[in-house]
Amino acid sequence: MRDQAEELRLRMLRSQQKLGRSIAVVSGKGGVGKSNFSMNFTTTLSEVGKKVVLIDMDIGMGNIHILLGKTVPTNLKDYLVGEKTLEEVMFEGPNNLQYISGGSGLSGVMEWNDKMFTRLIEAFEYLQKNYDYIVFDMGAGATSQTLDLLVSVDDIIVITTAEPTSITDAYSMMKFIYFKDPDKNFFLLCNRAFSEEEGFDTTARLKLAMSKFLSKEIIVLGSLPEDPVVRMSVKEQVPFSILYPNAAITKKLKQMVSSFTNIEVEETDIPHQSTFISRLKNLFSRRS
């Protein structure tokens, strides 16, 4: 438990400077459209005037740059190993969105060392002071470092589909994080829903399970429909929210973003929360 001096220091830090919110986008299993959601979610946040950076944490198998139709010469691994500066691995996407690629080609499979973690902390500290949102598109696998990141971020956005395996895996993911941090903010959405009813039933089941078995309330953002424009936008390598601004899925996404930002504003100044960076440093020090 932190002492009073540390608690006071953290309160003063938040009062002096509003730090950006850290968000991890996760799914229990692959194939649910997580990266596509991350791209369109952050693009829409940027469209409404937020300063956003999207970080592809699937090192070695990242696809954020591919969804944008870009070939990037540098990626997060280049920064972590000290070959590039943070500015050299950041690129501009639609609506002034900034993004950092995780790279591709499986070359990024690695274990982080102390130097890498120090550089990661330095980058996050800078980004948190200069952006409204730091959004992490998490990979399907899990390492000790990525688990530390999940426990440290302010908010978790969990994506599921109506498939039973996806629902079970989404619950398992939330359950794991909950046991590490019972106070974590969970936001849930059902992707690729074939109807409003299917989306509602899916999120309601998960919300009930979390409440019944863990006494944990989560926030449901709603559902995004199965929409052919998603596949067409992926083929064109342009976010559907930009390529098809009048599509049903784009309108639903904009409603989600509005709901998320309104809820987030209400929860930003919780005085007992430590900062994202402090939590991450604390967890890493325990492993050292």
Side-chain angles (χ1 to χ4, degrees):
M1 183 176 294
R2 292 191 306 273
D3 58 26
Q4 292 182 342
E6 173 69 2
E7 187 75 38
L8 179 60
R9 186 188 72 80
L10 291 169
R11 291 190 187 191
M12 290 179 63
L13 178 63
R14 283 198 173 274
S15 64
Q16 292 170 358
Q17 182 177 27
K18 186 179 183 299
L19 299 176
R21 297 291 289 181
S22 53
I23 305 163
V25 181
V26 304
S27 62
K29 65 188 292 290
V32 301
K34 175 181 56 60
S35 292
N36 206 333
F37 170 82
S38 296
M39 171 56 63
N40 283 277
F41 177 74
T42 52
T43 299
T44 304
L45 276 173
S46 297
E47 184 181 11
V48 297
K50 304 296 184 181
K51 292 186 65 177
V52 186
V53 58
L54 173 60
I55 304 177
D56 193 337
M57 291 303 296
D58 200 355
I59 300 176
M61 295 186 65
N63 59 5
I64 289 297
H65 63 289
I66 298 173
L67 290 173
L68 289 172
K70 304 294 184 180
T71 300
V72 291
T74 59
N75 55 61
L76 180 59
K77 181 182 177 181
D78 297 324
Y79 170 76
L80 291 176
V81 300
E83 294 180 355
K84 299 293 181 180
T85 65
L86 181 62
E87 290 76 14
E88 289 175 320
V89 299
M90 292 182 67
F91 299 91
E92 185 170 325
N95 297 335
N96 297 315
L97 169 71
Q98 300 295 311
Y99 69 93
I100 299 176
S101 171
S104 58
L106 295 177
S107 61
V109 178
M110 62 180 183
E111 289 295 326
W112 297 359
N113 55 36
D114 289 356
K115 176 185 175 182
M116 292 178 181
F117 187 82
T118 298
R119 288 181 64 80
L120 199 69
I121 289 293
E122 291 174 352
F124 291 168
E125 286 180 326
Y126 170 81
L127 295 174
Q128 203 176 27
K129 292 176 182 178
N130 290 276
Y131 288 85
D132 300 315
Y133 296 92
I134 310 170
V135 181
F136 301 97
D137 181 41
M138 305 301 296
T143 66
S144 59
Q145 290 86 1
T146 56
L147 292 176
D148 282 347
L149 184 61
L150 287 177
V151 175
S152 301
V153 296
D154 299 305
D155 303 313
I156 303 284
I157 296 180
V158 182
I159 301 180
T160 185
T161 66
E163 295 179 4
T165 53
S166 181
I167 295 172
T168 300
D169 289 345
Y171 175 74
S172 297
M173 174 68 76
M174 288 190 287
K175 180 180 178 181
F176 176 83
I177 299 172
Y178 168 81
F179 282 131
K180 296 286 186 179
D181 180 6
D183 295 325
K184 186 66 65 189
N185 299 323
F186 290 103
F187 295 84
L188 175 68
L189 69 99
C190 178
N191 196 27
R192 303 180 64 180
F194 283 97
S195 66
E196 288 280 353
E197 182 180 11
E198 182 179 68
F200 177 82
D201 289 344
T202 300
T203 54
R205 286 175 59 188
L206 280 165
K207 182 177 176 66
L208 177 61
M210 291 292 288
S211 177
K212 180 178 180 180
F213 298 113
L214 300 177
S215 298
K216 174 66 176 179
E217 294 301 321
I218 63 175
I219 300 168
V220 174
L221 290 176
S223 63
L224 292 175
E226 178 72 41
D227 196 319
V229 305
V230 175
R231 177 171 293 185
M232 290 187 286
S233 68
V234 170
K235 185 177 180 180
E236 294 295 328
Q237 295 180 297
V238 179
F240 66 75
S241 56
I242 293 177
L243 193 59
Y244 300 99
N246 297 316
I249 190 172
T250 300
K251 293 178 180 179
K252 288 295 295 289
L253 178 64
K254 288 184 176 182
Q255 292 174 5
M256 278 188 183
V257 168
S258 178
S259 297
F260 179 82
T261 54
N262 287 335
I263 294 170
E264 180 272 326
V265 167
E266 295 173 0
E267 298 183 351
T268 295
D269 297 320
I270 298 175
H272 70 269
Q273 281 190 327
S274 72
T275 66
F276 161 53
I277 301 298
S278 296
R279 293 192 293 268
L280 194 56
K281 285 181 177 178
N282 185 48
L283 284 168
F284 186 78
S285 65
R286 293 178 186 177
R287 295 187 180 276
S288 301

